[in-house]
Amino acid sequence: MATELNPKNFPVLSYVLDRLPSFTAKSSSSSDVEPPPSKSDPSSSSNHSIEIVTQMPHLAHPDVLASMTNATADVSQTRSVLRTLGPRPDHETVDRARARLREIDASLSESFEEIALSPNDIDVAEKEQKRREAVEQEKIWYKSILKLNELHESYEKLLKEAEERLVRIYESAEKNAAAVAEEEAAEVEVNEEVVSILQQAAENPLDRVDLSGRKLKLLPEAFGKIQGLLVLNLYNNQLQAIPDSIAGLHNLLELDVSTNFLETLPDSIGLLSKLKILNVSCNKLTTLPDSICHCGSLVVLDASYNNLTYLPTNIGFELVKLEKLLIHLNKIRSLPTSIGEMRSLRYLDAHFNELNGLPNSFGLLTNLEYLNLSSNFSDLQDLPASFGDLISLQELDLSNNQIHSLPDAFGTLVNLTKLNLDQNPLVVPPDEVVKQGVDAVKMYMGKRWVSMLEEEEKMANMKDEMDQTYTDWLTRTTSKLKTYVTEVSEYLGSNPPRDPYLDQQL
């Protein structure tokens, strides 16, 4: 039967469909029952299954077979329909059906002409109507032959596409199986390496451990007992947590846990009092523990590429030795006021955040040399007045923000040599000044500030003059008033001549 597949042409598809339950009706007629495949026939179902599974062993995996079964649902349904409709008509039958349909259409055209020539002949019309009904029934039969042929043609295309689809599924499963096997082998190898390191540390002190890129999912608690460890590199693994026992690494100077799956850091990290370099970038951190402030020896802190929304409130009060702070590509909305206490800070990168401003204490960072505040977009609109106090600043990037005006004292940044103000709606300084470069901007802002100071001084002098004039007037007025009072007092204190009128008798 045409719906039965040739395993040589469709090896994978044949195997999958043979695993499906049969929904065909059992016939009581012995002539309709197909004989079972011969065991000696190399194309028989059982021999084919053994052969294909030998060549493609992953076919026997339940998950792979389930995926392939789902992918061949359309083939299975079409095969069931075709089994009901019957085998594909041969080429000669199809040609005869097409020829007969053409003859019928031609005959109907002639009948139309006869009716047109004798429109009033009722008998002719009735005969033609009956004939037309009979012809339509005949056309239905021949059209069904052509339709069945088309279905079988589509079925063959469907088989080819299904076979290709199943091959792709198998190749994907094969790659996944290879990857899993490789990963399992790597885990075994890593576990052996970890055990070896711990054994070695128990015998001889280690000062450096590098387990980067090992696909580690778990760091044993025993690592916290490695005495004398100075550097621990766990970059590019699959760690989801750092054990609390890490607090036992009292002499640790460098810790790199970047590019892992960490969502939190242990509070015990604050006990690493000698830690100088901490890299927690490229993780899933939403906060830094407050205890990180106790790492008072930190010089470099990299917390970029995370989901941080804020920094610990007291981070600036305690990390006074910090020189480099990387917090870019987070969701930080504001910096704590205490950041102004990081007097040793030289490098700060906070681009691609949601900063809506800087605290007034920011101007206290007088040793800051590099500052990147770019791409805070619509959130960052202005800078604090104390910004001009960053006297050591050499490189500044403020691009992609909504800053309209630079701080008045911007011109006092005498060491500034690199400045990026692109993509800002700047009004002060104007665009034509910005295009001339950093020196032109500093000169413009410097002159503008001097003019403002002169104007303030002028207003202050005018106020002083007005105050002096008022003081002089008040002094003169007071002096005159004193003289007048004195004269009146003297007059009232003397014996003036009596008026005779007042001495008259009433």
Side-chain angles (χ1 to χ4, degrees):
M1 191 174 182
T3 55
E4 301 305 323
L5 303 183
N6 185 343
K8 293 182 179 179
N9 296 333
F10 306 102
V12 183
L13 184 59
S14 297
Y15 175 84
V16 175
L17 293 181
D18 284 344
R19 311 268 82 71
L20 299 178
S22 175
F23 296 100
T24 56
K26 293 183 178 180
S27 174
S28 59
S29 174
S30 60
S31 61
D32 294 334
V33 179
E34 296 182 5
S38 172
K39 292 183 179 180
S40 60
D41 184 1
S43 63
S44 66
S45 176
S46 59
N47 288 346
H48 167 67
S49 298
I50 296 173
E51 183 180 352
I52 190 68
V53 171
T54 302
Q55 296 174 358
M56 307 173 74
H58 298 294
L59 282 178
H61 195 285
D63 293 340
V64 176
L65 187 58
S67 298
M68 290 185 170
T69 301
N70 293 332
T72 57
D74 53 349
V75 175
S76 179
Q77 292 172 1
T78 305
R79 184 172 67 162
S80 298
V81 171
L82 290 178
R83 281 177 170 174
T84 303
L85 294 177
R88 181 175 183 176
D90 57 48
H91 184 69
E92 187 176 353
T93 301
V94 173
D95 284 347
R96 280 203 301 265
R98 290 193 180 113
R100 182 55 186 152
L101 285 173
R102 287 194 296 268
E103 291 174 0
I104 292 173
D105 289 338
S107 176
L108 289 175
S109 298
E110 293 176 358
S111 299
F112 277 124
E113 292 178 0
E114 291 178 4
I115 294 174
L117 293 174
S118 54
N120 298 323
D121 193 336
I122 298 175
D123 292 336
V124 173
E126 290 178 352
K127 290 179 181 180
E128 184 59 31
Q129 181 63 29
K130 292 179 180 180
R131 178 173 174 273
R132 185 179 299 280
E133 291 175 357
V135 167
E136 287 297 331
Q137 290 296 324
E138 187 179 5
K139 286 181 66 176
I140 291 174
W141 168 252
Y142 289 119
K143 285 182 177 179
S144 65
I145 293 175
L146 297 181
K147 185 64 176 177
L148 182 58
N149 184 62
E150 291 175 0
L151 284 175
H152 277 277
E153 284 183 354
S154 299
Y155 180 63
E156 289 182 358
K157 293 180 180 178
L158 190 63
L159 294 179
K160 294 178 181 178
E161 294 173 356
E163 180 71 15
E164 293 173 356
R165 191 159 59 242
L166 294 181
V167 169
R168 288 196 296 270
I169 291 175
Y170 183 83
E171 289 175 349
S172 176
E174 197 172 30
K175 289 180 181 178
N176 291 339
V180 170
E182 183 180 348
E183 185 174 345
E184 290 175 352
E187 286 185 5
V188 171
E189 185 178 347
V190 167
N191 290 336
E192 292 177 353
E193 184 177 4
V194 170
V195 171
S196 174
I197 289 174
L198 293 175
Q199 290 176 346
Q200 184 179 352
E203 299 171 359
N204 300 304
L206 291 177
D207 61 358
R208 181 181 296 269
V209 170
D210 187 352
L211 286 172
S212 58
R214 301 298 204 283
K215 297 183 180 179
L216 273 177
K217 296 181 179 179
L218 179 67
L219 187 67
E221 293 276 348
F223 263 85
K225 299 179 181 180
I226 301 179
Q227 298 299 317
L229 191 62
L230 301 178
V231 178
L232 177 56
N233 187 355
L234 299 171
Y235 160 75
N236 192 21
N237 280 289
Q238 299 174 11
L239 298 173
Q240 297 183 8
I242 300 296
D244 286 324
S245 63
I246 197 171
L249 303 177
H250 303 297
N251 296 312
L252 195 64
L253 300 178
E254 297 182 25
L255 174 60
D256 188 346
V257 292
S258 61
T259 315
N260 278 280
F261 301 142
L262 301 176
E263 295 183 2
T264 60
L265 295 176
D267 288 332
S268 61
I269 199 170
L271 297 176
L272 301 177
S273 58
K274 295 183 180 180
L275 193 65
K276 292 182 178 294
I277 300 175
L278 175 59
N279 189 347
V280 296
S281 63
C282 300
N283 279 287
K284 299 179 180 180
L285 300 175
T286 55
T287 61
L288 294 177
D290 289 337
S291 61
I292 203 171
C293 298
H294 302 321
C295 299
S297 298
L298 270 182
V299 176
V300 178
L301 173 58
D302 187 351
S304 59
Y305 291 90
N306 279 287
N307 296 313
L308 301 178
T309 56
Y310 65 92
L311 297 178
T313 301
N314 296 323
I315 192 170
F317 293 130
E318 301 189 58
L319 299 187
V320 293
K321 295 181 180 180
L322 197 67
E323 296 182 7
K324 193 171 186 178
L325 177 59
L326 306 172
I327 52 174
H328 51 280
L329 284 115
N330 279 285
K331 300 177 181 178
I332 299 174
R333 300 186 182 92
S334 62
L335 298 178
T337 304
S338 66
I339 198 170
E341 301 301 319
M342 292 182 176
R343 304 300 173 83
S344 301
L345 195 64
R346 298 179 181 277
Y347 191 104
L348 174 56
D349 191 345
H351 78 271
F352 261 109
N353 276 284
E354 299 174 8
L355 291 175
N356 52 29
L358 299 175
N360 287 327
S361 62
F362 199 80
L364 297 174
L365 302 176
T366 52
N367 288 312
L368 192 64
E369 298 174 356
Y370 176 92
L371 176 60
N372 190 345
L373 297 173
S374 66
S375 300
N376 280 275
F377 302 106
S378 59
D379 298 290
L380 187 57
Q381 299 182 10
D382 51 29
L383 300 173
S386 62
F387 200 84
D389 296 334
L390 304 176
I391 55 176
S392 299
L393 197 60
Q394 298 176 15
E395 297 184 34
L396 174 62
D397 192 343
L398 296 173
S399 60
N400 292 297
N401 289 300
Q402 288 295 310
I403 299 174
H404 291 79
S405 177
L406 294 181
D408 294 333
F410 193 88
T412 60
L413 303 177
V414 292
N415 291 309
L416 191 65
T417 57
K418 292 184 179 180
L419 175 64
N420 189 351
L421 297 172
D422 294 344
Q423 303 300 317
N424 277 287
L426 274 174
V427 178
V428 178
D431 189 53
E432 56 269 20
V433 174
V434 174
K435 289 180 178 178
Q436 295 176 30
V438 58
D439 291 333
V441 171
K442 289 194 296 183
M443 183 176 295
Y444 177 89
M445 296 303 296
K447 289 180 178 179
R448 185 174 182 273
W449 194 44
V450 169
S451 298
M452 293 175 64
L453 292 177
E454 289 177 348
E455 186 66 23
E456 288 179 4
E457 184 179 2
K458 182 179 179 181
M459 294 298 293
N461 290 337
M462 290 179 61
K463 183 176 182 301
D464 290 343
E465 290 177 2
M466 292 179 64
D467 290 344
Q468 185 62 43
T469 301
Y470 176 75
T471 301
D472 293 344
W473 174 82
L474 188 61
T475 301
R476 290 194 301 271
T477 303
T478 303
S479 177
K480 289 181 180 180
L481 185 59
K482 286 181 178 179
T483 302
Y484 176 75
V485 170
T486 301
E487 292 176 352
V488 171
S489 297
E490 290 177 353
Y491 174 78
L492 294 175
S494 62
N495 295 320
R498 299 180 60 84
D499 190 335
Y501 181 78
L502 295 175
D503 293 334
Q504 290 182 2
Q505 294 288 334
L506 294 176

